[in-house]
Amino acid sequence: MATTLPVKIEFSLPEGWQPAPPDEVGAPGVAFIALHSESQDKFTANITIAGKVRDEADLLTLAQESVHRLREGATVSVATQAQGGTPEVPALTQTLRISTTLRGLPVELVQSQVYLLMNDAHDPSKHAVIELALTAKQSQLDQVADDFEEFVRSIRPAGPDAA
């Protein structure tokens, strides 16, 4: 079942990406998914947004939890990991190599994850971890990696006038 984010955010979707209902495209547990229709090489590259309020705001621990969760159904290795962001919005990025099956066939995927620690613009005492991910086949990365970086740079807390 699709979820909602614990804080309101705004973002811009790069050209060529189309939002889709998470439950209808097999992405339960995310608040938003966009598909890159031109990248359908037996797998459609996608961008997802999920998030939750956490008592523990250690981004490294959250990234490790994601790896453990993915390992329940796939072979996963961490290719890169780095902390960054700004003092207002700390971030952690990691790139994962994922070996799994799709419709009974083996598939090799790359997942770029970005974890952002954000405060709610309406209630500064409330913070949440926003999880952004790009999942694609290695052969699709050149086509979609720059789009994901553009998308991540566009993420910001929603202004006070946001509904």
Side-chain angles (χ1 to χ4, degrees):
M1 179 172 177
T3 64
T4 57
L5 294 176
V7 293
K8 294 182 186 298
I9 62 170
E10 297 174 346
F11 57 88
S12 300
L13 208 55
E15 189 174 323
W17 292 85
Q18 297 300 316
D23 289 331
E24 290 180 23
V25 296
V30 303
F32 177 85
I33 185 168
L35 306 175
H36 190 260
S37 58
E38 292 180 22
S39 67
Q40 294 181 353
D41 176 17
K42 297 182 183 171
F43 181 84
T44 303
N46 61 80
I47 292 173
T48 59
I49 304 174
K52 55 190 151 227
V53 173
R54 292 283 301 238
D55 292 336
E56 181 181 338
D58 176 34
L59 296 178
L60 186 56
T61 299
L62 297 173
Q64 290 169 341
E65 287 175 4
S66 174
V67 171
H68 291 298
R69 215 174 27 252
L70 288 168
R71 283 185 175 149
E72 292 175 8
T75 301
V76 180
S77 64
V78 178
T80 64
Q81 191 175 73
Q83 294 191 2
T86 65
E88 297 81 27
V89 183
L92 181 136
T93 61
Q94 70 180 2
T95 302
L96 307 177
R97 305 272 182 227
I98 303 169
S99 297
T100 189
T101 58
L102 181 64
R103 294 184 278 289
L105 299 172
V107 63
E108 300 294 320
L109 301 173
V110 177
Q111 187 172 83
S112 296
Q113 299 177 333
V114 177
Y115 293 86
L116 304 172
L117 186 60
M118 302 183 83
N119 291 321
D120 188 311
H122 304 290
D123 181 359
S125 67
K126 183 179 177 184
H127 65 273
V129 175
I130 304 298
E131 303 171 21
L132 313 170
L134 166 69
T135 307
K137 291 176 68 175
Q138 181 70 43
S139 61
Q140 299 166 327
L141 270 184
D142 286 344
Q143 188 178 10
V144 298
D146 289 344
D147 287 352
F148 184 62
E149 288 180 22
E150 177 184 331
F151 168 75
V152 170
R153 284 192 303 269
S154 79
I155 300 283
R156 63 202 169 279
D161 296 332

